[in-house]
Amino acid sequence: MRLVNLEKLTDLQKNPGNVRNICIMAHVDHGKTTLADSLVASNGIISQRLAGKLRYLDSRKDEQERGITMKSSSISLYHSVGPVEYLVNLIDSPGHVDFSSEVSTAVRLCDGAMILVDVVEGVCAQTIVALRQAWQENIKPVLVLNKIDRLILEVKLTPLDAYVHLTQVLEKVNVVMAELLTSEVMEKEYSAEKPLQPEGDGNKPKTSNEPEYYDWSSGLDDVDDSNLYFSPDQGNVVFASASDGWGFRCESFAKIYAEKIGVKEAVLNKTLWGDYYLNSKQKRIMKKAQEKAKKPLFVQLILENVWALYDAVAVRKDRPTIEKMVANLGLNVPPRSLKQTDFKSILQCIMSAWLPLSTSVLDMVCLKLPSPLDLSETRVERLMFSHTKSFALLPPESQDLKRAFLACSSSDDAPVIVFVSKMFAVERNFLPENRPKALTSEEILARREQARLRLAERIAQKQVDDENKDRNSETTTLATEPQKEPELETQDSDAFVAFARVYSGTLKKNSKLFILGPRYDPTTSPEWNEKEAIDPATTLKDLKPGHYVTLADIKQLYLLMGRELEALEEVPAGNILGIGGLDEHILKTATISSTLACPTFTDLNLIAVPILRVALEPAHTSDMKKLVQGLKLLNQADPCVQILVQDTGEHVLVTAGEVHLQRCLDDLRERFAKIEVTASKPIVPFRETVIEPPKTDMVNEIIEQTSSNKSSQVNYKTASEVTADTAGIITQMTANKKCAIKIRAAPLPETVTKLLEDSVDLIHILKDNSNLSTGRASLEFLPDEIVLKLKDFKRKLRNEFKEGGWDPSIADRIWSFGPKKCGPNVLINEVINHQRGCAWPKEILMESSFGVSMEQDVNPLYAYDSNFLNGFQIATLAGPLCEEPMMGVAFIVEDWSIDAVEENPDDGNSGGNLHQPYGPFSGQIMSAVKDACRKAFQAQPQRLMVAMYSCSIQVNGEVLVTKSVGSTYNKNKFLFTKLSCNL
């Protein structure tokens, strides 16, 4: 029986100070869903005996079959600590790396996170990812050390050895937190205080005033990290066994032993964990237990008792001892539970009655994690505006909304601000408005009378002539069939519900609000600046280019209860909810607000990116429309999937991994398209690159090239008048012979390519703030911190070019990055009379003579800068080998010249005439650059690069198999005879 009803939960929503929005995060199979079951059972939603077996929050069939969580799902729970009542909005998130995007959607809506760690496996890859995500979203984590029963029954450690192991696991978790803190402090100190080196040749001698080193410790010493680390004496750690239904904090045993040993409860809270022991003669707690070879208090008072109970029940199965221990503990365990033949069930009954897991975990959540009222200013600014731009650049109306975030007010005057992190599909018959409702006595009588009348009509109809009866039957069938088909189709289809949180104001049913797309910016939006009217009938597919706002009617509000949804009339600030009826206005994420001054929330921090792709086609060609519609629905329902349509018309599905791919295919066949779909073999994307010419052949003999051989390798001609000299320089002419381009390709040093990949965020900033015609970025609207990072990025590029044997000034002459203006390829400008072609802002080139000149309309090349860059982008996006993006290639523009073009509209060579035989001159330049880059690429030794899959596998040593495609290059022995292999 449920502990509280819907009315009680809606009342608790009105007090944001007692609301806790949390998510469970951990590595796969560390016990998240089992723990969630125990918490759900505490509210009477499921039986306590089914906790860990039912997997209540895993509502999908494939989740139950595989035993892993694939979709994050939320449920609202009631909990009380003394007289104070709390509402806990719990989100269970996946642990598998393929579904890390679901974790990102959950973390954005929460104020706290519960990190689970399997004490046997320890800190794993996804554990580190979970801690990093919580750090990046600026939410507070607490720790649950789970599966302690494995230390007893599986690994068979003694209580003292288990204590040592627990301290090691806790220390590893804290090491991850320390690394996150250190990296952030170092970055801030570096940006604030590090003197930048001049942009010259880098070989200038240091003056006496320049520091020879930088002391990073000064910044770390000033940081308050007292509440950063996990420590049982601070109450932010729970020791648990979710499968057996028990868990405890140090406070749990401090209350028990305070009276027995005559020590204050506050003292026990601080000393139960650590190097303390109990002097039984003096009845005092002493330090230095390890030095004096004494058992720590944690072992003596806690672990030995737990071990003794497990030994009696699970090992020796001694019923008299069990009954005696239950009586000594004063537990209220039914006698029939102790008489069961399954000792595992007996153990669960005793331990859950002695140390209930839900009480310890929810107490820690309510007392240690913040409420929506505790939203920090730092997180508000991160949510409202990207770190690449200054918060002060927002309009005054937008900056005023910061107070609304911090206040978390539900008053009618407060602006409504809601963030939608994802859209998820629900069967329509599961929606509250479509559920069968209980009938009243009057309705029952009315239906009974209707049934009696229908029966009388059928009896009368039997007396009619056979011919008339057949005619009436046909008429009835024709009249009723068109009415039934749409109803069945509607009930079988899926509805989309928005997974959201209210940050300010009260979201009410039937209210009209603005839906702000992810690319909406109040500083540049025509709806805000030009005060354009928004048509309420406009949906997402009707928006014009540059417009990202629609006006929607909030039709349905839902309280998320795991597998069930409960209808609501309004939701106050600080709560997580579901919103129905927005599938025509939101694709994946959006911001809902009552004012256009609200900036859209920043993008989610996605850890995994789609990389595995398959080509899809229907088994029957006539089902192509159903496949296209199904792919659209799948794209909306999954935050990490990508749908591509190739030039050939082929539909490509891109997913994060094999498990994610299988789930998407199942959804297409069973839910969205409902047709048989044929999928190709999955492949990963390639990258095309060039390398230095080899110096030895296949038998390791030195290659001696004659002049004729050199010429034959790089010299070729085509119908496009392309020539290549011995240095690999390609000379490409436009179709009208008015423009000549000389380009050569060279492989970038590996360190430069790696730096470009790691600095993609900074290159994105250059891209977003660049001039469309010249490609040059501007620092006018960037904060000082980002400017310093850009300067440091350029300095690192110079150093890496120098280390790779290149001229460091090459970094000054980078014209563009590609593909998509942020890739690991560069366009180098060596054109003597075209110094304006440069990607760096002029503020970064103050000490470099290149690229500073900004004269307009002096050089005829200036008018075609954007066309030249677009040709480079197209070439690097699809290489000549297999139309895959290039990687690690530098294209050096040796020369670019344009002959004088007469401005005669009748002349076919006119640059401004759109009707000349070879097309516009700007398009000719774009095509010529693309062809020149591709053929310069082919003039060098070419290679295909395949993605490398790196993973950590923990198995017993005797089951390790090396007969696979991959090879084992690293083995590390772990505790408990585990073996970690990187393949």
Side-chain angles (χ1 to χ4, degrees):
M1 182 178 179
R2 297 203 175 196
L3 190 61
V4 294
N5 53 22
L6 178 61
E7 290 74 15
K8 182 66 175 178
L9 295 177
T10 53
D11 288 340
L12 292 174
Q13 285 184 338
K14 299 176 182 178
N15 184 9
N18 291 345
V19 174
R20 298 293 183 270
N21 299 315
I22 66 166
C23 61
I24 307 178
M25 307 169 66
H27 191 74
V28 64
D29 287 335
H30 278 205
K32 298 180 299 299
T33 306
T34 305
L35 173 62
D37 272 2
S38 296
L39 303 183
V40 172
S42 68
N43 274 228
I45 299 175
I46 63 174
S47 171
Q48 189 66 47
R49 295 183 178 181
L50 295 178
K53 305 179 183 67
L54 184 61
R55 301 179 66 88
Y56 181 76
L57 295 181
D58 288 349
S59 57
R60 295 173 56 94
K61 180 181 177 181
D62 48 5
E63 288 180 323
Q64 295 286 343
E65 292 174 350
R66 289 180 177 267
I68 61 174
T69 303
M70 298 182 183
K71 285 282 189 179
S72 57
S73 54
S74 176
I75 189 169
S76 297
L77 302 175
Y78 166 85
H79 185 66
S80 62
V81 181
V84 184
E85 296 178 322
Y86 294 90
L87 176 66
V88 179
N89 294 317
L90 176 71
I91 303 178
D92 182 25
S93 61
H96 197 285
V97 65
D98 282 9
F99 310 106
S100 59
S101 60
E102 292 285 337
V103 183
S104 301
T105 62
V107 172
R108 174 58 61 89
L109 305 182
C110 295
D111 302 304
M114 192 187 309
I115 310 295
L116 264 71
V117 177
D118 185 334
V119 293
V120 174
E121 295 185 4
V123 177
C124 298
Q126 289 302 112
T127 310
I128 300 175
V129 171
L131 290 169
R132 184 180 296 113
Q133 283 185 300
W135 181 271
Q136 291 175 347
E137 289 289 341
N138 201 23
I139 65 176
K140 185 177 181 180
V142 291
L143 182 65
V144 177
L145 296 178
N146 194 25
K147 300 190 179 183
I148 293 182
D149 58 296
R150 293 184 64 188
L151 298 179
I152 307 173
L153 302 177
E154 183 179 329
V155 187
K156 299 180 181 179
L157 295 181
T158 64
L160 183 58
D161 291 338
Y163 169 74
V164 174
H165 178 66
L166 289 174
T167 58
Q168 294 173 349
V169 173
L170 188 61
E171 183 179 0
K172 291 179 181 178
V173 178
N174 285 329
V175 164
V176 177
M177 298 300 296
E179 290 176 352
L180 295 173
L181 174 67
T182 303
S183 61
E184 182 175 285
V185 172
M186 291 174 64
E187 184 177 354
K188 289 182 178 179
E189 291 293 325
Y190 178 85
S191 301
E193 300 183 15
K194 184 181 184 303
L196 292 172
Q197 296 181 1
E199 294 288 344
D201 57 9
N203 298 322
K204 295 180 180 180
K206 294 183 178 180
T207 63
S208 59
N209 296 329
E210 294 181 357
E212 297 182 358
Y213 65 91
Y214 187 85
D215 184 13
W216 296 107
S217 61
S218 60
L220 293 173
D221 293 340
D222 299 334
V223 176
D224 181 16
D225 58 354
S226 58
N227 296 322
L228 173 69
Y229 301 110
F230 302 106
S231 179
D233 57 1
Q234 294 183 4
N236 58 3
V237 178
V238 167
F239 302 90
S241 171
S243 61
D244 290 342
W246 62 269
F248 65 86
R249 296 191 299 157
C250 288
E251 287 85 344
S252 306
F253 282 91
K255 295 177 182 178
I256 298 175
Y257 287 109
E259 295 183 1
K260 291 185 178 181
I261 62 178
V263 180
K264 294 182 179 180
E265 183 178 337
V267 176
L268 278 177
N269 283 334
K270 297 296 183 183
T271 57
L272 272 177
W273 179 265
D275 195 23
Y276 300 94
Y277 72 96
L278 178 64
N279 190 325
S280 55
K281 294 183 180 179
Q282 300 180 7
K283 291 187 177 182
R284 293 181 56 190
I285 296 176
M286 313 293 288
K287 297 181 180 180
K288 301 180 180 180
Q290 183 178 1
E291 182 179 331
K292 298 179 181 179
K294 300 291 184 179
K295 291 181 181 179
L297 277 176
F298 193 81
V299 176
Q300 186 177 0
L301 300 182
I302 301 178
L303 294 187
E304 286 186 348
N305 292 321
V306 175
W307 258 245
L309 189 54
Y310 265 82
D311 179 66
V313 179
V315 180
R316 294 188 289 112
K317 302 179 181 179
D318 188 352
R319 291 187 182 272
T321 305
I322 295 173
E323 295 176 357
K324 183 179 179 181
M325 296 180 73
V326 170
N328 291 337
L329 291 173
L331 303 179
N332 185 17
V333 180
R336 63 181 180 181
S337 299
L338 298 178
K339 295 179 181 179
Q340 299 181 74
T341 57
D342 184 10
F343 281 87
K344 179 71 171 178
S345 300
I346 297 176
L347 180 65
Q348 292 175 350
C349 292
I350 297 175
M351 294 300 296
S352 60
W354 181 32
L355 302 169
L357 175 62
S358 60
T359 303
S360 300
V361 171
L362 292 178
D363 281 353
M364 176 178 65
V365 166
C366 295
L367 298 177
K368 297 299 178 180
L369 292 183
S371 70
L373 295 177
D374 300 324
L375 199 64
S376 64
E377 293 188 11
T378 302
R379 191 182 183 206
V380 169
E381 293 187 3
R382 288 182 180 180
L383 292 176
M384 293 179 65
F385 214 50
S386 172
H387 71 284
T388 62
K389 296 182 180 180
S390 175
F391 181 78
L393 296 177
L394 285 173
E397 297 87 346
S398 301
Q399 296 185 35
D400 292 340
L401 294 178
K402 180 179 178 180
R403 292 194 293 269
F405 270 93
L406 297 174
C408 193
S409 174
S410 302
S411 64
D412 295 336
D413 298 334
V416 177
I417 301 175
V418 182
F419 176 69
V420 177
S421 64
K422 71 170 183 176
M423 303 288 288
F424 64 95
V426 179
E427 294 183 18
R428 290 189 183 273
N429 54 1
F430 286 170
L431 297 177
E433 57 267 23
N434 296 331
R435 277 190 215 143
K437 298 180 180 179
L439 299 177
T440 63
S441 58
E442 292 81 4
E443 291 173 338
I444 294 175
L445 291 175
R447 291 198 175 191
R448 186 180 299 171
E449 181 64 22
Q450 293 174 1
R452 188 184 64 81
L453 293 175
R454 285 194 300 267
L455 179 61
E457 289 177 0
R458 282 196 297 268
I459 294 174
Q461 189 176 3
K462 288 182 180 180
Q463 301 174 0
V464 181
D465 185 64
D466 292 339
E467 183 179 353
N468 294 333
K469 184 175 65 173
D470 293 339
R471 190 182 310 116
N472 294 337
S473 176
E474 272 185 30
T475 305
T476 304
T477 303
L478 292 173
T480 55
E481 281 182 358
Q483 298 175 0
K484 290 183 178 179
E485 286 182 357
E487 182 180 355
L488 292 173
E489 183 180 354
T490 302
Q491 293 298 326
D492 291 342
S493 61
D494 287 328
F496 281 90
V497 177
F499 191 40
R501 171 180 168 177
V502 183
Y503 281 88
S504 175
T506 300
L507 185 61
K508 297 181 180 180
K509 189 176 177 180
N510 298 324
S511 59
K512 290 188 178 295
L513 297 173
F514 297 110
I515 311 297
L516 313 177
R519 300 180 63 183
Y520 174 76
D521 187 352
T523 60
T524 59
S525 170
E527 292 89 353
W528 170 252
N529 293 312
E530 302 175 13
K531 308 298 181 184
E532 295 184 3
I534 300 175
D535 186 1
T538 302
T539 60
L540 196 62
K541 61 183 179 181
D542 302 326
L543 288 176
K544 300 177 182 178
H547 293 70
Y548 309 105
V549 181
T550 60
L551 187 62
D553 185 13
I554 306 300
K555 298 179 180 179
Q556 298 293 339
L557 300 177
Y558 303 116
L559 177 67
L560 304 177
M561 295 297 294
R563 302 182 181 184
E564 300 178 2
L565 299 175
E566 299 291 344
L568 299 173
E569 293 298 323
E570 62 180 30
V571 179
N575 290 278
I576 294 174
L577 77 156
I579 309 175
L582 297 179
D583 47 328
E584 295 292 332
H585 297 270
I586 300 176
L587 180 60
K588 292 179 182 288
T589 65
T591 303
I592 304 175
S593 180
S594 58
T595 171
L596 288 174
C598 179
T600 186
F601 279 55
T602 54
D603 295 335
L604 299 174
N605 295 317
L606 297 179
I607 303 301
V609 295
I611 192 174
L612 197 67
R613 60 176 66 182
V614 293
L616 302 177
E617 63 179 10
H620 304 286
T621 310
S622 59
D623 293 332
M624 178 58 74
K625 289 185 178 180
K626 294 182 179 180
L627 175 62
V628 173
Q629 180 63 23
L631 288 174
K632 290 180 180 178
L633 297 177
L634 176 64
N635 185 44
Q636 189 172 20
D638 196 309
C640 193
V641 78
Q642 288 184 4
I643 308 296
L644 306 176
V645 180
Q646 304 288 6
D647 295 336
T648 58
E650 186 179 52
H651 291 79
V652 177
L653 173 66
V654 190
T655 61
E658 293 182 354
V659 181
H660 186 208
L661 172 62
Q662 187 59 47
R663 191 197 72 180
C664 292
L665 293 177
D666 292 341
D667 284 347
L668 266 180
R669 294 175 177 132
E670 299 173 7
R671 299 187 65 179
F672 300 132
K674 295 183 180 180
I675 60 172
E676 186 59 34
V677 177
T678 303
S680 65
K681 290 184 179 180
I683 62 172
V684 295
F686 295 93
R687 293 292 182 266
E688 301 183 21
T689 189
V690 296
I691 61 172
E692 295 288 347
K695 298 180 180 179
T696 58
D697 57 14
M698 297 181 63
V699 293
N700 208 23
E701 294 182 355
I702 299 177
I703 299 176
E704 295 182 359
Q705 294 184 344
T706 62
S707 59
S708 61
N709 289 336
K710 291 180 182 180
S711 176
S712 63
Q713 286 184 0
V714 297
N715 188 19
Y716 55 88
K717 288 189 178 182
T718 66
S720 301
E721 294 294 331
V722 181
T723 60
D725 59 15
T726 56
I729 298 178
I730 299 296
T731 301
Q732 175 77 40
M733 300 290 293
T734 55
N736 62 3
K737 306 298 187 295
K738 295 295 183 181
C739 174
I741 303 169
K742 292 185 178 181
I743 295 181
R744 63 182 175 91
L748 285 172
E750 291 185 6
T751 54
V752 174
T753 305
K754 181 68 167 57
L755 178 60
L756 294 177
E757 287 185 303
D758 295 341
S759 306
V760 64
D761 291 339
L762 294 174
I763 301 177
H764 262 295
I765 296 173
L766 290 174
K767 167 190 170 183
D768 295 339
N769 294 273
S770 62
N771 185 291
L772 295 179
S773 61
T774 64
R776 182 190 293 275
S778 173
L779 303 182
E780 182 180 357
F781 301 107
L782 295 180
D784 295 339
E785 179 183 355
I786 300 300
V787 174
L788 290 173
K789 288 183 179 180
L790 289 172
K791 292 182 178 181
D792 183 55
F793 168 53
K794 182 171 175 293
R795 179 186 59 81
K796 289 179 180 178
L797 267 179
R798 291 176 59 89
N799 294 338
E800 296 299 344
F801 273 118
K802 184 178 180 181
E803 293 293 331
W806 290 46
D807 183 2
S809 64
I810 287 289
D812 298 334
R813 297 192 289 275
I814 293 179
W815 194 355
S816 181
F817 303 91
K820 299 180 180 179
K821 300 183 180 180
C822 56
N825 306 284
V826 294
L827 182 67
I828 308 298
N829 182 11
E830 295 286 358
V831 182
I832 298 177
N833 61 340
H834 187 55
Q835 293 189 358
R836 196 181 72 163
C838 179
W840 302 108
K842 60 182 180 180
E843 294 87 345
I844 295 183
L845 293 172
M846 292 303 294
E847 301 198 19
S848 173
S849 60
F850 186 85
V852 179
S853 176
M854 296 292 292
E855 294 85 357
Q856 299 290 334
D857 302 325
V858 175
N859 194 322
L861 302 178
Y862 292 169
Y864 302 102
D865 275 352
S866 60
N867 308 117
F868 199 104
L869 297 180
N870 289 337
F872 164 73
Q873 300 298 331
I874 296 173
T876 53
L877 183 61
L881 294 180
C882 55
E883 299 297 322
E884 292 286 347
M886 296 183 186
M887 179 176 179
V889 183
F891 291 97
I892 298 95
V893 185
E894 298 290 348
D895 190 23
W896 178 25
S897 60
I898 297 178
D899 293 344
V901 179
E902 297 180 2
E903 295 297 334
N904 184 2
D906 297 329
D907 188 357
N909 296 330
S910 174
N913 189 6
L914 299 180
H915 303 286
Q916 52 185 307
Y918 302 108
F921 188 52
S922 58
Q924 294 181 44
I925 293 178
M926 192 185 307
S927 299
V929 174
K930 181 194 72 171
D931 294 339
C933 289
R934 291 169 69 97
K935 289 164 184 174
F937 181 92
Q938 292 175 309
Q940 303 296 326
Q942 307 157 59
R943 295 292 185 271
L944 275 179
M945 303 175 68
V946 67
M948 181 177 180
Y949 182 71
S950 176
C951 65
S952 296
I953 303 175
Q954 292 183 347
V955 296
N956 294 328
E958 59 270 15
V959 301
L960 180 65
V961 179
T962 57
K963 295 180 180 180
S964 60
V965 177
S967 59
T968 305
Y969 65 86
N970 187 17
K971 299 181 181 179
N972 295 320
K973 287 187 177 180
F974 274 146
L975 186 61
F976 316 136
T977 67
K978 296 289 178 181
L979 194 64
S980 174
C981 306
N982 296 320
L983 301 181

